[in-house]
Amino acid sequence: MKSIWQQILRYLYIGKKDTTSPNTTSVKLMHGMNRISILVFLLALIVFAIKMIFFRHHH
């Protein structure tokens, strides 16, 4: 489980880079796509939380 969090931090340029991983164009593109998907997911969570906090309907 720890390695999953380390990988996410590496995708977001927060964790240190793994020097043993290959540095090819395909790997760079994969990391870029993963980075975008993580950021979009976090944005969706923030929007959902804002909607739940500020736009609650009282029945």
Side-chain angles (χ1 to χ4, degrees), residues 45-58:
L45 283 180
I46 292 168
V47 169
F48 180 73
I50 290 171
K51 279 187 170 186
M52 292 301 292
I53 293 169
F54 294 112
F55 299 106
R56 272 189 262 170
H57 296 290
H58 299 287

Side-chain angles (χ1 to χ4, degrees), residues 28-40:
K28 288 180 185 178
L29 289 173
M30 180 193 66
H31 287 307
M33 293 173 78
N34 287 338
R35 190 175 303 116
I36 290 168
S37 65
I38 291 169
L39 292 174
V40 169

Side-chain angles (χ1 to χ4, degrees), residues 7-15 34-35 38-39 42:
Q7 191 68 33
I8 290 172
L9 292 176
R10 276 189 224 124
Y11 286 150
L12 299 174
Y13 294 118
I14 298 171
N34 287 338
R35 190 175 303 116
I38 291 169
L39 292 174
L42 291 175

Side-chain angles (χ1 to χ4, degrees), residues 19-34:
T19 56
T20 60
S21 65
N23 196 16
T24 62
T25 303
S26 300
V27 172
K28 288 180 185 178
L29 289 173
M30 180 193 66
H31 287 307
M33 293 173 78
N34 287 338

